[in-house]
Amino acid sequence: MVEKPGLILMGSSGFSAIVLQNLLEAGQRIRAVYTMPDKKAGRGMKKRESPVKILAQENSIPVFQPASFRDPGTVAELGALKPDFLVVAAYGLLLPEAVLSIPKIAPLNIHPSLLPLYRGAAPIQRAIQENWTPDAETGVSIMKLVRELDAGPVYAQRKMPIGRASYFALSDALAHAGSQLLLETLPAIQNGLLPEPQDDTRATYATKLDRGDGRINWQDSAAQVDALIRAVNPWPGARTEFGIEGSRIQALIREARPGEEAPGMLPGQIQAGKGGLAIACGDKWLEIGRIQLEGRKETSGRDFVNGLRLSDQHRCFAF
């Protein structure tokens, strides 16, 4: 029987916390958790701890929070833990060669895409945004870390349908799938499994989201707009404007669903009534489930229509 290795988990998000929880439930030996320094947030600018830090402390696991690994002392502190594996899952820091060489067996990354597709900062959001057909897939990869971004050789992959998943739902599903794949792969790596090099000619990059990524183009198909909404919620949010009585009201579309075909309708034209709110895209109506005026609370499409007394005479504009 192969002895369970000593692991150090490096992560800072909800994705990382799911990975840690699954490793703990499987009885893995977690020697320490590395996570980003606490950040100030909210009106009171209080320090906010990462989900993975909270979970680690609840399980009496040592937590380290370096701002970087430029200090040789920080690297030496990590080396003194003598891990068999480093497991990186949405950490937030690039690791220098001095860190990558520390684990006895390998530094690993649970990357939420089918590498070499969607290397980079936002693989889940970009996979949703760019793949809106019913048969679209993404997945998770267990990769050996190298200095180049997400370019290391891959030990194992698992596919997953995207469907109409939101960012949070798909992130959670990929975290669970990645955890299970890691648990299945660790014994094989200990027994000498070698990773397969990536085909760099097929590489695509998932660049970090910015505010402009949320802008809706109503000339796109309803499936495309729906995918954008699911990809960019909660941030930066799918943004549009309503032209109402000579003024423009900015709004975030939080949930929607493609509806029936909209023949003869101009992209951006609204359909408002007792049934709620729908907006014409390039091919079909988009039925609005949840919407939020900026600076106000989220509401249903029907309540939004009633509150502003909208009718089919109004027009929605992208910006």
Side-chain angles (χ1 to χ4, degrees):
M1 181 178 179
V2 178
E3 181 184 357
K4 288 184 178 179
L7 308 179
I8 290 178
L9 179 71
M10 295 179 152
S12 304
S13 68
F15 183 98
S16 319
I18 290 174
V19 172
L20 177 59
Q21 183 64 50
N22 288 336
L23 293 179
L24 290 171
E25 290 177 359
Q28 294 295 313
R29 294 191 298 146
I30 312 297
R31 292 184 178 171
V33 161
Y34 274 69
T35 190
M36 293 288 284
D38 299 342
K39 293 183 178 180
K40 292 182 178 180
R43 292 184 178 180
M45 294 302 289
K46 295 181 179 179
K47 285 191 175 182
R48 182 175 297 173
E49 298 175 327
S50 72
V52 73
K53 176 183 177 180
I54 295 170
L55 181 58
Q57 291 177 330
E58 290 173 351
N59 288 273
S60 302
I61 299 172
V63 175
F64 298 85
Q65 297 181 269
S68 75
F69 287 95
R70 288 190 290 268
D71 181 1
T74 302
V75 176
E77 184 177 52
L78 173 58
L81 297 171
K82 297 182 179 180
D84 295 306
F85 289 100
L86 293 181
V87 176
V88 176
Y91 182 24
L93 286 181
L94 292 176
L95 303 180
E97 191 63 41
V99 170
L100 298 180
S101 63
I102 284 175
K104 181 180 178 181
I105 301 176
L108 304 177
N109 176 234
I110 303 176
H111 186 79
S113 82
L114 296 173
L115 293 169
L117 303 180
Y118 298 110
R119 297 175 179 177
I124 301 174
Q125 295 98 322
R126 297 301 183 187
I128 295 173
Q129 179 185 355
E130 297 175 7
N131 297 275
W132 55 84
T133 58
D135 59 347
E137 292 181 319
T138 186
V140 65
S141 303
I142 306 299
M143 176 194 74
K144 183 176 182 179
L145 280 165
V146 296
R147 289 190 64 184
E148 294 79 12
L149 180 65
D150 298 331
V154 175
Y155 288 100
Q157 292 185 322
R158 181 157 294 162
K159 293 181 179 180
M160 178 174 291
I162 295 175
R164 293 196 60 257
S166 65
Y167 163 67
F168 279 131
L170 187 57
S171 178
D172 287 357
L174 288 169
H176 285 293
S179 304
Q180 185 59 44
L181 186 59
L182 176 70
L183 289 167
E184 294 171 8
T185 308
L186 283 175
I189 299 175
Q190 284 183 273
N191 285 327
L193 175 68
L194 297 177
E196 294 289 332
Q198 294 186 40
D199 181 356
D200 292 340
T201 65
R202 296 180 54 244
T204 60
Y205 289 88
T207 55
K208 185 177 180 180
L209 295 177
D210 61 30
R211 185 179 173 87
D213 285 309
R215 185 172 57 248
I216 296 174
N217 181 355
W218 293 107
Q219 296 186 33
D220 287 341
S221 71
Q224 286 175 274
V225 178
D226 171 53
L228 174 67
I229 293 167
R230 290 183 284 109
V232 301
N233 190 23
W235 193 90
R239 299 170 182 274
T240 192
E241 287 182 349
F242 290 95
I244 300 175
E245 297 180 355
S247 63
R248 290 191 174 188
I249 301 175
Q250 295 190 12
L252 299 171
I253 310 296
R254 294 300 191 185
E255 291 181 11
R257 180 179 292 274
E260 297 178 354
E261 293 187 2
M265 297 295 105
L266 294 174
Q269 186 169 339
I270 72 169
Q271 186 179 67
K274 293 182 179 180
L277 175 66
I279 304 173
C281 298
D283 59 346
K284 297 180 179 180
W285 292 104
L286 188 75
E287 299 172 359
I288 308 303
R290 306 292 297 177
I291 189 170
Q292 181 180 12
L293 293 178
E294 286 195 305
R296 298 189 186 181
K297 292 183 178 180
E298 185 178 311
T299 187
S300 68
R302 178 176 296 179
D303 288 345
F304 180 78
V305 167
N306 293 337
L308 292 180
R309 298 181 180 179
L310 290 178
S311 73
D312 292 353
Q313 301 303 314
H314 296 106
R315 179 84 186 278
C316 176
F317 296 90
F319 71 98

